[in-house]
Amino acid sequence: MDTVVWVNDRLVGTDEGTLSALDHGITVGDGAFETCTVVGGSVFALTRHLRRLRRSLQGLGLDLTVGDEARCIKGVHTVADAVGAIDGRLRITVTSGVGPLGSGRQPGGRYTVVVAAQASEMAPEGSAVRSPWVRNERSAVVGLKTTSYAENVVALADAVARGGDEALLGNTRGELCEGTGSNVFVEVGGELLTPPLDSGCLAGITRALLLEWGGQNGLPVREAVLPFTVLDAVTAGDAHLLVTSSGRNVQPVTWLDGATIAAGPLSLAARALFDRLHRQHVDP
Ligand SMILES: Cc1ncc(COP(=O)(O)O)c(C=O)c1O
């Protein structure tokens, strides 16, 4: 099955010209997006994704009106119907629409809405490298899922060139923060610990659900401030690692910076718990 794409109210071909060359999302990355998991054709956690999309746009100074949100939902349903009963991912992108060539905005424009879905598979395990770059926890767009993802593109390409499939970043204070497209948990001392949001990480939906579902199901999982050097304990075999995202669910990391590492027992339990519950709750 090919990728199904919907732009501003209609299904379009993947290589059909549909966006203005002056769309501010293209010229300066002035937009926000969400990537949702699709489970058997159902879009998982759509309410949470739409809430975060609204928050990201608000952080950019853009208001997602009721009408804009209705357009997003219409696009989601149209694409989900067209793509069928797949396991995969569905992306919603909203930009500020046509704008000037520079960073300033043209007021009163119509937002661009793009929804696209495709089948994809999730690997049960991940491999990561420590990134030489950092997340700026004091950035103007910290915690927003904006379409300005070039930093993540560069860091991920570096990770792939070094044999990994995710790069792990610290922040400017030297604390562990997140991956280029995932949150991170360290299994240490009989607990699963994840950096708090003030580390500069995205408020991941998979992260939040693992904290909630873990807490409700006896899994010792919580937020904690972790130094980036905690990854030394992982390579030394004294701690374990997992990453979470809508594209990965809960994924134990079994390779870090060239060294094979063991998946921890709590990490494996977290993966099993999430695998089970995300199939039982479509919109938790
Ligand atoms: C930078 C970043 N951190 C974390 C995540 C994980 O968030 P979620 O679990 O909502 O997919 C993502 C998702 O793509 C991301 O881009």
Side-chain angles (χ1 to χ4, degrees):
M1 161 67 71
D2 289 338
T3 306
V4 173
V5 186
W6 181 99
V7 181
N8 287 335
D9 297 334
R10 66 181 183 94
L11 289 170
V12 299
T14 48
D15 55 0
E16 192 179 328
T18 48
L19 287 189
S20 165
L22 298 183
D23 192 291
H24 225 212
I26 299 221
T27 51
V28 296
D30 185 15
F33 74 103
E34 286 296 320
T35 304
C36 315
T37 312
V38 180
V39 187
S42 299
V43 181
F44 177 69
L46 183 59
T47 303
R48 288 181 190 246
H49 281 286
L50 288 172
R51 195 182 307 141
R52 189 172 63 189
L53 180 64
R54 251 192 323 270
R55 258 203 334 265
S56 294
L57 289 165
Q58 245 162 27
L60 292 174
L62 300 169
D63 249 347
L64 193 70
T65 63
V66 175
D68 294 324
E69 186 168 300
R71 282 167 69 211
C72 292
I73 292 169
K74 186 177 161 208
V76 168
H77 290 315
T78 307
V79 168
D81 285 350
V83 82
I86 58 159
D87 284 342
R89 61 180 67 183
L90 177 142
R91 176 175 162 135
I92 310 167
T93 308
V94 177
T95 81
S96 61
V98 173
L101 294 180
S103 296
R105 274 199 198 115
Q106 188 167 292
R110 185 181 197 237
Y111 295 171
T112 299
V113 180
V114 178
V115 180
Q118 62 186 193
S120 59
E121 282 175 14
M122 290 193 193
E125 293 163 358
S127 48
V129 305
R130 275 176 261 212
S131 182
W133 297 290
V134 294
R135 208 49 112 211
N136 178 4
E137 73 284 358
R138 292 182 296 136
S139 157
V141 292
V142 67
L144 309 182
K145 200 165 165 66
T146 78
T147 55
S148 307
Y149 250 41
E151 283 198 341
N152 293 317
V153 172
V154 172
L156 182 58
D158 172 64
V160 169
R162 292 197 275 142
D165 62 36
E166 180 57 304
L168 300 176
L169 295 99
N171 63 17
T172 72
R173 298 189 297 243
E175 298 156 356
L176 182 62
C177 185
E178 66 176 344
T180 64
S182 61
N183 292 107
V184 58
F185 289 71
V186 177
E187 179 178 336
V188 62
E191 288 183 295
L192 283 167
L193 305 178
T194 193
L197 298 183
D198 73 6
S199 69
C201 67
L202 185 77
I205 288 166
T206 321
R207 170 190 183 278
L209 286 172
L210 183 55
L211 286 166
E212 286 173 34
W213 286 345
Q216 291 157 10
N217 288 274
L219 203 66
V221 55
R222 64 180 173 90
E223 287 185 341
V225 178
L226 296 166
F228 199 54
T229 50
V230 74
L231 297 178
D232 290 340
V234 174
T235 42
D238 298 328
H240 309 278
L241 199 59
L242 69 82
V243 289
T244 63
S245 78
S246 301
R248 298 172 186 264
N249 279 348
V250 172
Q251 196 179 59
V253 174
T254 53
W255 184 96
L256 178 64
D257 285 335
T260 300
I261 54 176
L266 293 176
S267 305
L268 293 171
R271 182 177 69 187
L273 180 74
F274 197 93
D275 279 353
R276 180 165 59 83
L277 292 183
H278 98 288
R279 293 188 180 278
Q280 291 173 9
H281 304 277
V282 176
D283 200 15

